[in-house]
Amino acid sequence: MLEELTLQFGIPGAVGFVPGVNGLPKAMLSHQSGATAEIYLHGAHVTSWRAVGGDDLLFMSAASAFEAGKPIRGGIPVIFPQFGGGPLPAHGFARLTEWEPTLSAVEENGDVECVLHLEDTPATRQLWPHPFRLELAVTLAARALAVRMTVENSGAAPFSFTAALHTYFSVADVRRVAVRGLRGVTYLDTLRDDARAVETPEAITFSAETDRIYVAAPDVVQVEDASRRRTITIHKHNMPDVVVWNPWTAKAQRMPDFGDTEYPRMVCVETGHVAEPHAVPAGGVWQGSTRFRVS
Ligand code: TA6
């Protein structure tokens, strides 16, 4: 399989396919600057992003599963067609399913792109009775990573979905992290039965479990890691909502695929259509993207 993938989509020095954990296939993206990224075909899951000369900007749990039917814990989970709990598996089935590459390229500016897709199967139709085509395009630059998600309704009836890029950022100590750009935004506090409140402080800081859905948030949000003197700027497009999450101690202990003492080293700042489902007519397409830049 890896040989076929490399033959069809490999680009020497830029895109290769190798066995990952438990032999799960993954794409390795290498930028001319030295920046790298990794994408498992399982869930089209980005599990690593290193800017030029840097350490990994994404958090991965040491306890993560890497097996069929289970989500990878960390990196950038692709959430579709359901964010959170509900009639489908938590956070939907896209992150639990094997995707396929459809394109890889090195652009004129040197950016490296890999596109993967997922189409409905009898298994997905049993869970969610709609034909669909999902595409995830990952583009690596020297100090940036862009992820574009496309949802096509290939059926004859409209459907609605919620979706997100559930990004886990690596931080030195979440107690010294500030998330900026959400001041004045209304959020749903999932720890208080989705009670609505308005974010008043200039920055979100962390001293307890935090799990908030910021509705119709600005398109630019920053994650400042004071300990590392590093800022990741998140620029979203056509993804109205932002979710900010840290499990803290009690929830971390309840998660079997997350170490009890890992919570200080991560923060999730997620982008997508979360607060309200998005409707797509028969034959219609939705596209949203998020670009992460480190400085
Ligand atoms: O995005 C925040 C959240 O919905 C939290 O409530 C927590 O459940 C987290 O996602 C992880 O969900 P998962 O299904 O990956 O364990």
Side-chain angles (χ1 to χ4, degrees):
M1 175 187 188
L2 288 173
E3 295 71 28
E4 289 153 31
L5 287 171
T6 302
L7 267 176
Q8 206 175 350
F9 302 107
I11 301 175
V15 180
F17 293 84
V18 299
V21 177
N22 294 344
L24 291 180
K26 67 179 178 181
M28 304 281 287
L29 276 57
S30 305
H31 186 269
Q32 62 194 6
S33 65
T36 62
E38 298 180 3
I39 316 165
Y40 276 79
L41 303 195
H42 181 68
H45 202 125
V46 179
T47 52
S48 173
W49 167 40
R50 293 170 183 271
V52 52
D55 52 9
D56 212 316
L57 294 153
L58 300 179
F59 166 85
M60 275 297 298
S61 170
S64 176
F66 284 86
E67 53 188 274
K70 289 191 177 180
I72 293 171
R73 173 70 64 194
I76 307 178
V78 177
I79 308 299
F80 177 87
Q82 170 193 289
F83 184 93
L88 301 180
H91 283 334
F93 50 67
R95 67 175 182 168
L96 306 175
T97 309
E98 307 323 301
W99 294 51
E100 291 181 2
T102 53
L103 175 149
S104 57
V106 178
E107 294 166 7
E108 280 197 15
N109 64 2
D111 290 359
V112 180
E113 183 182 43
C114 182
V115 181
L116 302 98
H117 90 279
L118 175 68
E119 292 186 2
D120 59 290
T121 65
T124 66
R125 286 193 297 273
Q126 200 159 18
L127 288 169
W128 193 62
H130 301 289
F132 68 87
R133 190 171 190 279
L134 267 185
E135 184 179 88
L136 196 83
V138 179
T139 304
L140 173 70
R143 303 190 65 81
L145 184 77
V147 183
R148 188 187 70 228
M149 190 173 180
T150 306
V151 176
E152 180 185 342
N153 179 348
S154 45
F159 64 53
S160 294
F161 68 87
T162 49
L165 299 174
H166 192 300
T167 308
Y168 288 71
F169 293 103
S170 169
V171 296
D173 182 348
V174 74
R175 291 161 290 214
R176 296 198 61 218
V177 165
V179 174
R180 298 184 190 284
L182 295 169
R183 186 177 193 171
V185 180
T186 296
Y187 65 86
L188 311 178
D189 188 339
T190 72
L191 303 177
R192 293 191 299 129
D193 292 332
D194 284 354
R196 281 178 179 267
V198 175
E199 186 63 40
T200 46
E202 198 277 322
I204 302 166
T205 54
F206 301 86
S207 57
E209 182 180 357
T210 305
D211 193 349
R212 299 174 183 172
I213 300 169
Y214 289 84
V215 182
D219 280 346
V220 180
V221 176
Q222 293 196 309
V223 182
E224 289 178 3
D225 182 347
S227 311
R228 291 177 175 156
R229 288 196 295 280
R230 180 164 84 191
T231 297
I232 291 181
T233 301
I234 300 167
H235 200 143
K236 64 183 175 69
H237 175 72
N238 205 23
M239 290 184 155
D241 307 324
V242 171
V243 180
V244 178
W245 175 59
N246 184 282
W248 221 253
T249 50
K251 178 137 190 178
Q253 287 161 6
R254 295 197 300 268
M255 292 159 61
D257 59 348
F258 188 89
D260 292 356
T261 59
E262 289 185 318
Y263 72 89
R265 292 191 292 107
M266 54 71 67
V267 64
C268 280
V269 181
E270 310 154 33
T271 50
H273 258 295
V274 174
E276 294 296 333
H278 181 73
V280 186
V285 175
W286 168 82
Q287 188 169 84
S289 61
T290 299
R291 189 169 191 267
F292 311 104
R293 183 172 46 80
V294 61
S295 55

